[in-house]
Amino acid sequence: MTGSLFPRPMVRRSFVTAARATAAAALAAATLGGTALPAQSAPDPRVGLKAGLTDAGEAAWNVKRIASVAPAEKFVGSTNSDLAFTGQYVIQGNYNGWQIWDIANPAAPSLVTGYYCPASQSDVSVYKNLLFISGEGLEGRLDCGDKGPREPVSKERLRGLRIFDITDIRNPKNVGNVQTCRGSHTHTVLVDPKDKANVYVYISGSAPVRPAGELPGCSNAPPDKDSTSALFRIEVIKVPLAEPSKAAIVSSPRIFNDLVAPPRHGQAPADKAEVEKAKAAGKFVFEIAAIGETFVLPDAQARQGLEQMVKMRGGTGEPTAADSTRFREFVNKQIEGMVGSEGKKGPTQCHDITVYPALGLAGGACEGYGLLLDIRDPANPKRVAAVADSNFSYWHSATFNNDGTKVLFTDEWGGGGGPKCRDTDPKEWGADAIFTIGADRQLSFQSYFKMPAAQTSQENCVAHNGSMIPVPGRDIMVQSWYQGGISIFDWTDAKKPFEIAFHDRGPVDSTKMQMGGSWSVYWYNGVIVNSEIARGLDIFELQPSQFLTANEIAAAKTVKLDYLNAQGQPQYVWPPSFARARAFADQLERSGGLPAARLTAVRAALDQAEALSSTGARRRALTALAKSLTADAAGSSDSAKVTMLATAATELARAK
Amino acid sequence: MFATPVAAQVTTAPAPRDPAAFEALYRARLDSARLRFTAADVRFMRDMIHHHAQAVTISQWAPTHGASASIRTLAARIINAQRDEIALMIAWLRDRKQPAPALHEMDGQLMVHEPAGDGAAMSHDGHAGHAMPGMLSDAQLKELDAARGAEFDRLFLTYMIAHHKGAVTMVDQLFATDGAGQDEAVFKFASDVQVDQRTEVQRMELMLGALRGGAPSR
């Protein structure tokens, strides 16, 4: 590669602009050499797409759709849900069961097995020869039949986790079922690096509790009235790999206990300004950390309270600073007392828990809270941090960046069935919230990200599931927004996430809101796989752009996984490759971390080393390059990236 | 511990390749899925429209009744959420050829008209609905409408907490009824109402705690 990828003066500014810019605006900025355009100045190609089930209008930017397949006959018209991956296969949940697709040739997925077994949501996970499926709805049957039990209490009902053996992938066998009190909306498979004999499954259930007559021991009473309550807890199932039929609940950790005062994080700028104004005006401002809410006490009440403090100390006249302090303490006590007297005020369950075993951490998205959990003892997860956010309605899922210094939570405002991306819906609602994870493992709010193109009221749209794309040196994620399509964005700078690619279709139905769009989308071994609720399965490839170079894409494709579950985050490890070194060089061009002439020389050195046929000569060339780059690092404005490049060269030198 | 699946679960028959045939099958499946509802599901949806309409109505008072910033934000979220859900419920009823109420705005109130000929004919938002858990009585509505500033905040939270808890009770009652909640849309909607409103109740109870704290003489 020669020459400059990015005209020097525009790079930084174009990145800033792109934080909110539409595709067209970003491209225009590129051609105009960095004239910052206002975000909404150009029409977004996603706006106004024609509706249709099979012939909807389509907009794509920096991704190419290489394949789309319709569901098998039995699954048409039934919701496609989450995905799991093993080897060359992708397993797609459906409210009527699940389908296994062979994507060895991603341009032509072929159906291997469809398994009819109705139950919502049929979220799937896989580990070795075992397939796990969630059942939540009342219609689920133990025998996979299609006549849901009609009685509120039925011995034929399955609400919980189904376990199948897929050793013979064309002939799955039901080898276990675990019934749970609230069914299983979704679940998380936790592979404990220290335990080779078992896997653990965390059950998330948001539906109402079953009657005790159907599943003994299920109680809907608050825990202070009934210590066995199914509320305020998650369930941990231990699955012996050798004997999956013995899978059973081993603990029901109450990770929410005493969750009354998590450290609060920053608010939206408008809220902050309002609070600052109130403070400046001498008003009483209370922070209710447990809900991320700041409350400005009305003057009359503050006055009344202060006078009460004066009276209580037997004084007269104007309240003093000490009265003010006492009043503040009094209010705080009242809040605490109220919380205490009415039992646990934390969430009663989690929606999703994303485990990251390599870090021993999990991100729990639990009703009104985002939690950070220590999962090193899998059956006994412990809460280490909690955050709330006044802009978040319903914490839905969590994704860590690869090195575990950040976590992104989503807000599934409206439950996924509502059109929450209209131009009238605030950008902070139904969005992602990005937090950094400090050395003390506390969470600090940084910013929101929401897919920026306004959608119609015929399109259900809100933040949903996604995964990291293994571009070395950057934090890039692909995410579902239901009928808002898929959005790929960079959140390397936690304060300034920006979109770099997207794909969207018009509404499924032009006349009314009909559920559709992307349920979930994940990067898996070089491609992006999308579960489309109404239309089937899509596969995409990234296209090079000024925001993501061919080298960066090639480097991402070097990461190979044996399997992937949506809520089990793998740590990406990059094998030594020239693509990775060149990706870092491209990133240094973008950041201005090395002078243009030096970059040209570095790229030439990489090209020459790759062309050398003698491994010894290649090793010497790469070692010399690494050494010179290490010397460059000290003087660079982006020394961390120069060091990454030097390390990449060293690893290449050592590679066979 | 686990039952053997009933037979012939494995199926690889492809969907029609012709787009029109595919869409016809898709629509036929949606149509037959719509036949799974029961009278209890219909009752729940119709009741919940009234229930939601009252929440929207009183939330719309926040800006004009001197509510604090955090109450105004809360109210805006309730309006956005419950208006969308009302639209969803009306669409659900129409899709199933069930009589669906009509809505109109009058003096800042969201009025619900039951279709003519129905048992609860012309029940304006409120009236027939007072029997539902958590609904404000006429006297309570008047009391709230007359309140301003901090007193509005306190009453709004008090009544909205009861209102939300009432919605959760309605979901519990639905799921305890034979055959109810088997319709996928009803199950999802009712489950969402339950979790969303319970989450919001927690938030409102803490906000109310702060307000009560500010008025120790009460």
Side-chain angles (χ1 to χ4, degrees):
Chain A
M1 179 170 306
T2 55
S4 172
L5 279 171
F6 318 102
R8 173 66 44 227
M10 52 81 46
V11 171
R12 276 214 161 272
R13 266 176 296 163
S14 80
F15 265 60
V16 174
T17 310
R20 276 292 163 100
T22 60
L27 289 170
T31 52
L32 293 173
T35 312
L37 294 176
Q40 311 298 335
S41 65
D44 188 301
R46 287 169 286 190
V47 175
L49 290 171
K50 172 179 142 359
L53 176 68
T54 59
D55 58 351
E58 237 179 307
W61 182 51
N62 300 336
V63 287
K64 185 178 171 202
R65 185 164 62 80
I66 60 167
S68 290
V69 280
E73 203 272 349
K74 275 280 199 187
F75 304 93
V76 175
S78 176
T79 298
N80 286 310
S81 60
D82 215 352
L83 301 172
F85 302 82
T86 180
Q88 73 206 63
Y89 302 109
V90 51
I91 302 161
Q92 184 178 29
N94 178 287
Y95 282 19
N96 269 351
W98 70 91
Q99 300 179 82
I100 303 177
W101 303 94
D102 184 338
I103 56 164
N105 174 7
S110 65
L111 184 67
V112 179
T113 307
Y115 198 95
Y116 185 75
C117 188
S120 64
Q121 303 186 114
S122 292
D123 276 356
V124 286
S125 294
V126 66
Y127 185 68
K128 295 193 171 169
N129 61 318
L130 296 180
L131 172 63
F132 304 92
I133 305 104
S134 278
E136 179 183 49
L138 302 173
E139 76 282 14
R141 292 180 61 96
L142 271 166
D143 64 8
C144 292
D146 60 1
K147 296 274 183 294
R150 294 187 66 78
E151 309 75 28
V153 172
S154 169
K155 291 293 168 207
E156 290 164 354
R157 181 171 282 127
L158 176 285
R159 290 183 64 198
L161 190 73
R162 302 185 201 262
I163 307 173
F164 278 75
D165 186 329
I166 53 166
T167 305
D168 176 359
I169 203 151
R170 290 173 196 281
N171 235 330
K173 296 265 178 283
N174 187 206
V175 292
N177 294 304
V178 182
Q179 300 266 11
T180 57
C181 286
R182 306 179 71 170
S184 174
H185 187 70
T186 187
H187 68 268
T188 306
V189 171
L190 170 56
V191 180
D192 178 9
K194 301 183 298 293
D195 186 347
K196 300 288 173 214
N198 303 286
V199 291
Y200 295 83
V201 183
Y202 291 174
I203 296 294
S204 301
S206 51
V209 177
R210 302 164 81 165
E214 181 165 280
L215 187 60
C218 291
S219 163
N220 197 15
D224 50 351
K225 298 207 174 68
D226 182 348
S227 61
T228 66
S229 172
L231 303 175
F232 301 95
R233 71 181 194 198
I234 60 169
E235 274 134 352
V236 180
I237 293 171
K238 185 173 174 176
V239 184
L241 292 172
E243 270 186 293
S245 65
K246 299 228 163 92
I249 295 172
V250 289
S251 65
S252 301
R254 295 192 184 274
I255 52 173
F256 317 120
N257 276 10
D258 313 315
L259 187 57
V260 292
R264 65 175 286 102
H265 75 75
Q267 303 160 286
D271 292 345
K272 265 186 190 154
E274 184 145 4
V275 168
E276 287 313 311
K277 219 173 94 190
K279 277 184 181 163
K283 288 186 185 288
F284 255 88
V285 177
F286 293 95
E287 296 188 342
I288 314 173
I291 54 168
E293 195 84 49
T294 299
F295 213 87
V296 182
L297 203 61
D299 286 341
Q301 259 174 319
R303 184 82 209 160
Q304 192 182 3
L306 286 168
E307 280 166 5
Q308 188 77 6
M309 292 301 123
V310 176
K311 221 158 86 187
M312 276 164 68
R313 68 174 158 85
T316 51
E318 284 301 300
T320 64
D323 291 321
S324 189
T325 307
R326 263 197 299 278
F327 180 48
R328 198 169 284 282
E329 283 167 2
F330 179 88
V331 175
N332 287 336
K333 251 201 189 119
Q334 285 284 111
I335 297 172
E336 273 170 36
M338 198 213 126
V339 166
S341 70
E342 297 201 16
K344 311 294 186 287
K345 283 297 161 204
T348 73
Q349 54 91 35
C350 293
H351 185 282
D352 266 39
I353 300 171
T354 295
V355 293
Y356 197 161
L359 301 177
L361 283 177
C366 310
E367 292 188 344
Y369 294 85
L371 308 183
L372 194 62
L373 305 170
D374 183 326
I375 52 162
R376 282 172 297 181
D377 177 0
N380 297 292
K382 284 178 193 65
R383 190 179 82 234
V384 293
V387 281
D389 182 331
S390 55
N391 279 319
F392 258 43
S393 157
Y394 188 70
W395 296 64
H396 175 275
S397 54
T399 305
F400 293 90
N401 69 335
N402 198 56
D403 61 12
T405 53
K406 287 175 237 168
V407 61
L408 175 148
F409 286 102
T410 65
D411 173 17
E412 197 189 29
W413 177 33
K420 302 301 191 186
C421 304
R422 295 159 297 195
D423 55 6
T424 50
D425 293 318
K427 292 277 185 220
E428 297 80 18
W429 295 4
D432 300 330
I434 297 170
F435 295 80
T436 50
I437 305 172
D440 56 358
R441 300 205 291 185
Q442 294 306 302
L443 302 172
S444 312
F445 172 75
Q446 303 298 322
S447 65
Y448 298 108
F449 175 78
K450 189 172 183 181
M451 186 282 302
Q455 303 287 301
T456 64
S457 46
Q458 276 77 47
E459 291 164 288
N460 51 312
C461 179
V462 73
H464 212 224
N465 301 341
S467 74
M468 296 300 292
I469 296 176
V471 175
R474 295 171 69 183
D475 295 325
I476 291 178
M477 181 169 166
V478 58
Q479 185 181 14
S480 284
W481 293 83
Y482 288 103
Q483 293 206 60
I486 67 172
S487 176
I488 298 169
F489 60 100
D490 179 311
W491 52 302
T492 312
D493 180 348
K495 287 196 187 301
K496 288 181 191 139
F498 61 95
E499 192 172 49
I500 62 172
F502 60 71
H503 175 267
D504 187 23
R505 289 184 174 97
V508 169
D509 193 316
S510 64
T511 60
K512 62 184 176 198
M513 221 290 299
Q514 183 68 54
M515 275 293 278
S518 177
W519 177 288
S520 58
V521 64
Y522 306 105
W523 172 272
Y524 183 68
N525 293 347
V527 290
I528 291 167
V529 185
N530 178 39
S531 180
E532 216 285 350
I533 290 172
R535 297 168 174 121
L537 189 79
D538 298 311
I539 302 194
F540 298 92
E541 274 190 341
L542 286 172
Q543 300 293 294
S545 71
Q546 60 169 321
F547 303 112
L548 192 66
T549 65
N551 291 322
E552 289 177 301
I553 296 170
K557 289 184 176 181
T558 65
V559 175
K560 297 289 177 203
L561 301 175
D562 296 330
Y563 73 101
L564 175 68
N565 289 320
Q567 294 173 48
Q569 192 166 340
Q571 186 150 44
Y572 292 137
V573 178
W574 290 266
S577 72
F578 282 95
R580 181 165 162 245
R582 291 187 180 113
F584 289 141
D586 293 352
Q587 290 167 15
L588 281 165
E589 179 172 347
R590 214 178 265 130
S591 70
L594 281 181
R598 177 62 181 141
L599 271 172
T600 305
V602 168
R603 284 172 173 147
L606 286 168
D607 290 350
Q608 282 158 17
E610 191 175 25
L612 288 170
S613 50
S614 144
T615 43
R618 180 188 287 186
R619 186 170 59 240
R620 284 189 294 278
L622 287 165
T623 306
L625 175 62
K627 200 175 163 196
S628 66
L629 282 164
T630 305
D632 289 335
S636 168
S637 58
D638 191 358
S639 63
K641 194 55 65 66
V642 178
T643 303
M644 282 184 217
L645 175 52
T647 306
T650 303
E651 286 176 12
L652 267 174
R654 289 183 189 144
K656 297 262 187 259
Chain B
M1 180 196 129
F2 54 95
T4 310
V6 276
Q9 301 320 127
V10 172
T11 166
T12 51
R17 290 186 74 87
D18 170 52
F22 176 82
E23 180 148 3
L25 175 63
Y26 167 84
R27 301 229 169 260
R29 287 270 163 78
L30 293 188
D31 286 345
S32 60
R34 287 189 193 111
L35 299 176
R36 284 187 207 128
F37 68 94
T38 63
D41 294 328
V42 173
R43 186 77 252 162
F44 171 80
M45 293 302 234
R46 286 171 65 177
D47 283 354
M48 197 58 90
I49 291 171
H50 286 274
H51 205 267
H52 273 37
Q54 192 183 59
V56 170
T57 291
I58 64 173
S59 296
Q60 287 177 171
W61 290 345
T64 52
H65 288 54
S68 66
S70 53
I71 296 289
R72 285 200 308 272
T73 303
L74 171 73
R77 287 197 81 121
I78 291 172
I79 292 166
N80 188 313
Q82 301 209 8
R83 273 189 183 275
D84 285 349
E85 288 179 352
I86 288 170
L88 181 152
M89 289 185 277
I90 289 176
W92 186 91
L93 288 165
R94 286 192 183 139
D95 277 353
R96 284 156 187 78
K97 311 269 185 280
Q98 298 299 305
L103 298 177
H104 76 259
E105 309 270 344
M106 201 175 81
D107 303 333
Q109 289 200 60
L110 185 57
M111 313 297 274
V112 182
H113 291 274
E114 283 298 336
D118 187 74
M122 287 301 289
S123 98
H124 255 188
D125 170 29
H127 307 297
H130 292 325
M132 282 176 256
M135 291 282 277
L136 279 68
S137 67
D138 285 339
Q140 287 171 326
L141 284 169
K142 276 203 189 96
E143 183 192 12
L144 181 61
D145 196 8
R148 292 293 181 275
E151 181 60 9
F152 178 84
D153 287 0
R154 188 187 66 81
L155 276 177
F156 180 84
L157 288 171
T158 306
Y159 291 146
M160 194 59 88
I161 287 167
H163 197 268
H164 274 38
K165 284 181 171 172
V168 173
T169 301
M170 288 164 72
V171 173
D172 287 343
Q173 288 167 351
L174 174 75
F175 283 118
T177 309
D178 265 25
Q182 303 255 340
D183 176 283
E184 186 185 310
V186 173
F187 181 80
K188 175 167 172 49
F189 171 67
S191 294
D192 286 347
V193 165
Q194 184 221 201
V195 289
D196 291 350
Q197 301 213 12
R198 207 182 42 224
T199 303
E200 215 155 59
V201 164
Q202 290 163 16
R203 177 184 296 276
M204 290 191 290
E205 283 182 335
L206 287 160
M207 292 167 80
L208 185 61
L211 267 187
R212 283 194 191 136
S217 58
R218 254 182 246 271

